[in-house]
Amino acid sequence: MAIGIFRIAGVRLPHPPIPLHLLLIVEQALAEAWKRLKRNPPAGFNIATATEDVITFYLHQVLVNDIYRRRQVPGFSRETFNRPEREPKVCSFNLSSIDKMPDLRVDLVDRPNVTLLTDDGIFIECKPIDAAHSVPAHYCRRGIRRFVSGEYGWAMSEGMMVAYVAPSHRGPRAAPLASLTAALTTSQQTTPDEFATTQLPSACPLATARHASIVAWTTRHRRQFNYVQTGGSAPELLLRHLWLIR
């Protein structure tokens, strides 16, 4: 069955940018939830060996039921954010799929100038980095590429990647940055349209490192699709990267 576009008058794309201070609050909330999950893990849960889905399930549980509900991070509350979701179903930019599922999604309460609320929010893709899940093949091709190709987050100008970094891969603080930089640099030289990187990883000067995380970085990527609702070109994408140490 073909899926058509539901026409809404006055659609403006892309959506207005999400203010930086709100992105920082979400990162702080994720880092705090991760710290608490490591400090007090559920019975039978081993964060060093658990799969991506299991880690994300418990991370979401702590994020919502502890950090969000109990207001454990300043600003991360129901006055500003809706309850974070895990694996919500969304559509791709051209409706070729209506079953895309970002790992996490955090919506803002007050977005008065947004028409397509179904496609608005902070979309978060989570990926493990360990011996079986490399930065180029898993984090980039199964994470970054989904934002660049418009699988989700296509109405936004920003998105967020979260990595679960295995102890054997954490090394010095600069090592993960070097591995991501190397993967994106290689792609620029061999398959430049795959991730369409226009800015290699750069530390966000306003992000603060937490006990369980590495300070956030940003990358920028060109997107090569047009909005079916308006015909306009999708803008460059700012991706934030938060790497959590197992």
Side-chain angles (χ1 to χ4, degrees), residues 32 45-46 93 113 130-131 145 152 159-160 169-170 195 198 203 218 228:
E32 183 62 26
F45 173 70
N46 184 342
F93 81 95
N113 297 319
D130 51 38
R145 188 188 60 79
Y152 39 69
M160 190 175 295
H169 284 68
R170 60 188 178 187
F195 310 125
T198 59
T218 62
V228 295

Side-chain angles (χ1 to χ4, degrees), residues 20 102 139 156 165:
L20 175 59
Y139 185 86
M156 311 304 297
V165 184

Side-chain angles (χ1 to χ4, degrees), residues 2-3 10 14 22 52 67 73 88 96 98 106 130 133-135 143 151 159 170-171 187 192 195 204 209 238 240:
I3 301 294
L22 297 180
E52 173 191 331
I67 307 302
V73 168
S96 61
I98 58 173
V106 183
D130 51 38
H133 303 90
S134 70
V135 173
E151 290 189 28
R170 60 188 178 187
S187 174
F195 310 125
C204 174
L238 172 68
R240 298 186 64 82

Side-chain angles (χ1 to χ4, degrees), residues 19-45:
L20 175 59
H21 75 278
L22 297 180
L23 295 168
L24 295 173
I25 288 172
V26 171
E27 288 174 353
Q28 291 166 7
L30 286 165
E32 183 62 26
W34 183 261
K35 182 174 71 173
R36 296 186 185 201
L37 182 59
K38 289 183 65 176
R39 187 174 60 204
N40 187 27
F45 173 70

Side-chain angles (χ1 to χ4, degrees), residues 151-236:
E151 290 189 28
Y152 39 69
W154 48 266
M156 311 304 297
S157 299
E158 58 280 304
M160 190 175 295
M161 290 289 302
V162 172
Y164 308 141
V165 184
S168 60
H169 284 68
R170 60 188 178 187
R173 182 173 294 273
L177 173 61
S179 65
L180 180 57
T181 300
L184 294 177
T185 299
T186 298
S187 174
Q188 283 180 319
Q189 297 169 349
T190 58
T191 53
D193 290 337
E194 184 174 22
F195 310 125
T197 305
T198 59
Q199 175 202 299
L200 292 171
S202 175
C204 174
L206 298 179
T208 55
R210 291 290 186 260
H211 172 71
S213 68
I214 296 173
V215 66
W217 312 312
T218 62
T219 57
R220 290 185 180 273
H221 306 266
R222 186 178 65 257
R223 292 187 289 186
Q224 303 178 68
F225 60 85
N226 293 334
Y227 293 123
V228 295
Q229 295 85 353
T230 65
S233 300
E236 188 175 68

